Amino acid sequence: MKRKSLLYEGKAKKLFQTNQENVLLVEYLDQATALNGLKKDAVVGKGQMNNQITAILFEKITEKGIANHFIKKISKTEQLVQAVTMLPLEIVVRNIAAGSFSKRLDVTEGTALPFAIIEFYYKEDRLDDPIINEDHIKVLEIASDVEIREIKNLALQINQVLKELFAMIAIDLVDFKIEVGRTTEGKLLLADEISPDTCRLWDKETNAHLDKDVYRRDLGDLISVYREVLQRLENKGESSCI
Ligand code: TMP
């Protein structure tokens, strides 16, 4: 598979066309950002951690029959994915109160939520990605009623798979963000990455943060916690039969 022209450069990834139609190459970068790009640092090794973690999580999601864009990891920092048109949405699922939810609604971080909640954010840097509701999504013509229902089902299914997977490696899945794309045939697919950049992961025993909050809140060394997550995921087969 040959890398061709650069299609898009984001905060932590580059997206290239390939010599195969409908197949894109994602390169994960050694870059950490927070506060919508206001905080930015080079972090050696982060690209390969997130590429490997995303590959493991998408393989698990594929195994469970959930439609997604992942094809395969082709190098330490690169993976191939199916081309889709991304919906300008960030879909957040929360199991435990934290982050912007705790701040906005004054709910103590760590409070278990009675059921998994879903939030939508309009992906638009210019507006600072505002929270929106299902009516906004329809009025902005981002997705139809039927598609919104499908996206919510997809988000809850992924939550179930990931919650169980992380529980097996002594991690609580506090919350996470996903993104969805549409194929040329109009089918919705889970796309983008799932990694400690896009999830809140707390150690079950110590509640230590094993995610990007380490960087956002200056709590320690980002690479060592990402490595810890990867090692637990890689070693999970030794202690269980998932
Ligand atoms: P929040 O509490 O800041 O709204 O974040 C909720 C979850 O979504 C958390 O796991 C981090 C993830 N997230 C992203 O991946 N990208 C983003 O731009 C934001 C705001 C959150």
Side-chain angles (χ1 to χ4, degrees), residues 90 92 94 98-100 121 175-177 197-200 216:
E90 295 196 334
V92 170
R94 301 182 189 270
S100 69
Y121 294 83
D175 57 35
F176 63 97
K177 182 266 305 181
D197 269 12
T198 63
C199 302
R200 278 199 178 88
R216 291 189 193 96

Side-chain angles (χ1 to χ4, degrees), residues 211-225:
D211 56 58
K212 200 162 96 172
D213 275 346
V214 167
Y215 174 74
R216 291 189 193 96
R217 302 179 186 188
D218 287 321
L219 300 175
D221 177 43
L222 178 140
I223 278 300
S224 49
V225 304

Side-chain angles (χ1 to χ4, degrees), residues 12-13 26-32 42-59 70 73 75-79 166 192-199 201 210-212 221-234:
K13 293 188 288 288
V26 185
E27 180 188 8
Y28 284 74
L29 307 175
D30 280 349
Q31 195 157 280
V43 181
V44 177
K46 177 172 176 282
Q48 52 170 298
M49 296 293 157
N50 278 353
N51 185 41
Q52 290 179 76
I53 293 169
T54 294
I56 292 172
L57 298 179
F58 271 79
E59 276 161 11
F70 182 75
K73 178 163 81 71
S75 78
K76 281 195 166 166
T77 57
E78 298 166 309
Q79 56 183 247
F166 282 116
D192 199 51
E193 70 177 288
I194 304 181
S195 72
D197 269 12
T198 63
C199 302
L201 305 169
L210 302 173
D211 56 58
K212 200 162 96 172
D221 177 43
L222 178 140
I223 278 300
S224 49
V225 304
Y226 281 38
R227 189 177 298 116
E228 171 73 24
V229 173
L230 177 59
Q231 279 172 353
R232 289 197 203 182
L233 284 169
E234 284 176 337

